[in-house]
C-alpha cells in the first residue's frame, strides 16, 4: 500500500492574496502579492509552491515541483524503512511447567526480544491449581532472574482471576548485549515484513 502524501498547492491553485516568498536561491523576498510571485516563478521557468499553508501569510517557494515532490516522497520512504513496529507477544505457562517447556518458551521470548518486541508472560491456573498462586509467582520470578540482563520490567506480576501476568521490554542496548550486528537486525526486520 502506497503512503498518501498530501500534495502542496502550486501556481494557480494557491488561494492567498499575499504570500511570503522565497526564491530559487533560498533568498527571502518578503511579503508579495500572489500575482507578483506567480510572475517571478514564470520568469524563472519554475513553479510557485505553497510549502507552509498555515502560516500567516502562507510561505511559498519558487522551485521545480517535480524534483521537490520526488525528494519529499523519497524521504518518507526512507523514514518508513527505518521505523519498527513494536508488537506485544504473549507466552503462556502453567504453574507446573517442566524444565524443557520452560526453556523452550524462554528461548522463544528471547527471540521476540531480539526483534525488539514486548513480551507478556502469563501463568494460567486450571481448577484447583488456583489455591497455589505462589507457584505462578515463582515461574515469573525465575523468568525475571533468567532474563534480567536483557529486559526491563514494564508491568510487574499482577493477578487477575485465574491468571498472573507481567510484561517485559527489551533493554535499549539489547543488540550490544547479545552481540547482534546491524545486518542481522535488518534481516530479522525483513523476515517480519514478508
Amino acid at each position: 500500500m502506497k503512503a498518501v502524501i498530501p500534495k502542496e498547492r502550486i501556481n494557480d491553485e494557491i488561494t492567498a492574496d499575499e504570500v511570503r516568498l522565497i526564491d530559487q536561491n533560498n533568498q527571502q523576498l518578503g511579503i508579495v502579492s500572489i500575482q507578483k510571485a506567480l510572475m517571478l516563478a514564470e520568469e524563472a521557468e519554475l513553479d510557485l509552491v505553497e510549502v507552509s499553508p498555515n502560516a500567516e501569510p502562507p510561505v511559498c517557494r519558487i522551485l521545480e515541483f517535480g524534483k521537490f515532490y520526488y525528494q519529499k516522497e523519497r524521504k518518507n520512504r526512507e523514514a518508513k524503512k527505518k521505523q519498527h513496529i513494536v508488537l506485544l507477544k504473549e507466552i503462556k505457562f502453567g504453574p507446573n511447567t517442566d524444565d524443557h517447556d520452560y526453556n523452550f518458551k524462554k528461548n522463544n521470548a528471547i527471540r521476540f526480544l531480539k526483534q525488539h518486541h514486548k513480551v507478556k508472560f502469563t501463568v494460567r491456573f486450571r481448577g484447583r491449581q488456583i489455591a497455589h498462586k505462589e507457584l505462578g509467582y515463582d515461574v515469573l520470578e525465575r523468568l525475571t532472574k533468567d532474563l534480567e540482563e536483557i529486559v526491563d520490567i514494564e508491568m510487574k506480576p499482577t493477578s487477575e482471576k485465574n491468571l498472573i501476568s507481567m510484561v517485559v521490554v527489551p533493554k535499549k542496548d539489547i543488540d550490544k548485549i547479545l552481540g547482534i550486528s546491524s545486518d542481522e537486525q535488518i534481516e530479522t526486520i525483513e523476515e517480519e515484513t514478508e
Side-chain angles (χ1 to χ4, degrees), residues 41-79:
E42 197 173 308
E43 285 175 8
E45 296 180 3
L46 295 170
D47 298 302
L48 182 66
V49 181
E50 189 177 48
V51 291
S52 183
N54 298 330
E56 199 51 53
V59 178
C60 293
R61 294 186 84 147
I62 297 174
L63 46 80
E64 188 180 331
F65 182 71
K67 189 175 180 181
F68 168 78
Y69 189 71
Y70 170 76
Q71 287 174 340
K72 183 177 176 183
E73 218 173 37
R74 195 165 146 214
K75 252 187 224 174
N76 283 357
R77 271 197 310 272
E78 289 298 317

Side-chain angles (χ1 to χ4, degrees), residues 129-143:
Q129 291 177 335
I130 199 77
H132 302 286
K133 276 198 171 182
E134 71 279 357
L135 295 174
Y137 284 109
D138 291 345
V139 170
L140 295 178
E141 180 138 346
R142 181 177 173 195
L143 279 164

Side-chain angles (χ1 to χ4, degrees), residues 116-169:
H116 299 269
H117 296 304
K118 294 180 181 183
V119 178
K120 179 179 183 178
F121 294 113
T122 304
V123 180
R124 180 181 300 258
F125 297 93
R126 299 180 191 278
R128 293 185 183 165
Q129 291 177 335
I130 199 77
H132 302 286
K133 276 198 171 182
E134 71 279 357
L135 295 174
Y137 284 109
D138 291 345
V139 170
L140 295 178
E141 180 138 346
R142 181 177 173 195
L143 279 164
T144 305
K145 283 182 183 166
D146 289 350
L147 301 174
E148 69 185 347
E149 293 177 10
I150 60 171
V151 300
D152 290 323
I153 295 174
E154 185 177 89
M155 187 181 89
K156 293 186 183 287
T158 55
S159 176
E160 186 179 311
K161 295 183 183 174
N162 64 338
L163 301 174
I164 299 176
S165 58
M166 77 174 183
V167 177
V168 297
V169 293

Side-chain angles (χ1 to χ4, degrees), residues 93-108 138-139 142-143 146:
F93 292 88
N96 301 319
T97 303
D98 68 349
D99 286 343
H100 178 267
D101 285 345
Y102 171 85
N103 288 327
F104 179 78
K105 291 178 179 189
K106 181 182 77 172
N107 289 336
N108 274 343
D138 291 345
V139 170
R142 181 177 173 195
L143 279 164
D146 289 350

Side-chain angles (χ1 to χ4, degrees), residues 6-95:
K7 269 199 170 184
E8 289 76 9
R9 287 186 274 207
I10 60 170
N11 300 328
D12 296 328
E13 296 172 0
I14 301 169
T15 56
D17 295 329
E18 289 185 328
V19 295
R20 184 175 302 277
L21 187 63
I22 302 170
D23 71 6
Q24 63 272 25
N25 301 320
N26 281 338
Q27 298 293 317
Q28 291 217 14
L29 303 179
I31 297 172
V32 296
S33 70
I34 189 69
Q35 292 81 12
K36 183 173 181 184
L38 286 167
M39 186 186 72
L40 290 170
E42 197 173 308
E43 285 175 8
E45 296 180 3
L46 295 170
D47 298 302
L48 182 66
V49 181
E50 189 177 48
V51 291
S52 183
N54 298 330
E56 199 51 53
V59 178
C60 293
R61 294 186 84 147
I62 297 174
L63 46 80
E64 188 180 331
F65 182 71
K67 189 175 180 181
F68 168 78
Y69 189 71
Y70 170 76
Q71 287 174 340
K72 183 177 176 183
E73 218 173 37
R74 195 165 146 214
K75 252 187 224 174
N76 283 357
R77 271 197 310 272
E78 289 298 317
K80 195 169 186 179
K81 265 186 198 175
K82 291 178 184 173
Q83 91 182 44
H84 175 71
I85 298 167
V86 177
L87 300 174
L88 177 65
K89 302 287 190 170
E90 184 174 18
I91 298 180
K92 296 177 182 175
F93 292 88

